[in-house]
Amino acid sequence: MSPDRSVLYDSADSFFTLSGSVVMKLTPAAAIQVCREAARRGIMVLRVEGGIWHSPGFEARIDCIWDGADPPTNQAKAHDNNVRAARFIQAESSVHSAFILTTTSITGESYRASKQSAP
């Protein structure tokens, strides 16, 4: 199942259940929770893009972009990277109401591809 582009997701579980996606818009709380759980699941955040949610619709803001470390990496470095992403979201959440996360596996393999190829 693919994420609905017209929905603002308010649950980190939705991100993981739907295999995450750069078309998935998350509330600040959900985005922070994804960042907190991601490394434990073998995922690292590559980019955070913030914007304004217009129910439905996402207004991307060029002044709210965070780029993380490049994979491959290890679990500890991925965790540190993801904590920095969560802090960025927290700092921007008073101005931006929705966030898009670009993620990959810690090894650098696409997160979606790794989920699809898993038995």
Side-chain angles (χ1 to χ4, degrees), residues 63-104:
D63 64 338
C64 188
I65 297 173
W66 176 89
D67 287 314
D70 290 328
T73 191
N74 61 43
Q75 183 93 15
K77 289 180 182 176
H79 174 74
D80 291 343
N81 176 79
N82 295 349
V83 166
R84 287 191 302 277
R87 286 182 185 146
F88 174 80
I89 295 165
Q90 183 65 48
E92 293 292 333
S93 65
S94 65
V95 178
H96 301 92
S97 57
F99 293 86
I100 296 173
L101 304 179
T102 303
T103 61
T104 191

Side-chain angles (χ1 to χ4, degrees), residues 33-45:
Q33 192 60 37
V34 167
C35 293
R36 289 181 178 159
E37 293 181 30
R40 183 175 52 80
R41 295 174 181 249
I43 301 165
M44 66 183 293
V45 178

Side-chain angles (χ1 to χ4, degrees), residues 7-9 24-29 31 48-54 57-61 64 88-89 92-93 95-101:
V7 171
L8 178 64
Y9 290 90
M24 182 178 242
K25 289 80 171 182
L26 300 164
T27 63
V48 175
E49 298 172 78
I52 310 299
W53 182 249
H54 292 292
F58 178 75
E59 176 188 340
R61 301 298 300 258
C64 188
F88 174 80
I89 295 165
E92 293 292 333
S93 65
V95 178
H96 301 92
S97 57
F99 293 86
I100 296 173
L101 304 179

